[in-house]
Amino acid sequence: MIWEKYGTTVYATLLFIFSIWWSLQFGDAEACPCGPLEDYIFKDDSFKRHDIYARLLGQLLGAFLTAKY
């Protein structure tokens, strides 16, 4: 809708601004299921053992709900 009314330049600018906002709000959030496992394998400095379980549970729940949808 934005692209149809205002064109490519405004659309690209808004996508860039929203990308910056997303990274500021959600930090290292990612859709790739490999992320928590890579953190575990490579022992990321900010890694906590309970964090991987929460992330994997969230990904499994998201996959289940998406498949049901």
Side-chain angles (χ1 to χ4, degrees):
M1 183 154 192
I2 292 172
W3 178 74
E4 292 173 354
K5 284 187 174 184
Y6 302 108
T8 305
T9 305
V10 174
Y11 183 65
T13 304
L14 287 175
L15 280 178
F16 180 71
I17 291 170
F18 287 143
S19 297
I20 293 172
W21 173 81
W22 180 273
S23 67
L24 292 173
Q25 295 298 316
F26 299 106
D28 67 342
E30 56 187 297
C32 178
C34 307
L37 294 176
E38 288 175 358
D39 290 343
Y40 178 74
I41 292 170
F42 297 121
K43 308 266 190 268
D44 187 15
D45 293 338
S46 63
F47 175 77
K48 295 178 179 85
R49 182 166 294 278
H50 63 83
D51 190 35
I52 191 172
Y53 298 128
R55 288 183 182 194
L56 288 174
L57 180 64
Q59 289 176 344
L60 287 171
L61 182 62
F64 177 74
L65 292 173
T66 302
K68 288 293 185 182
Y69 177 68

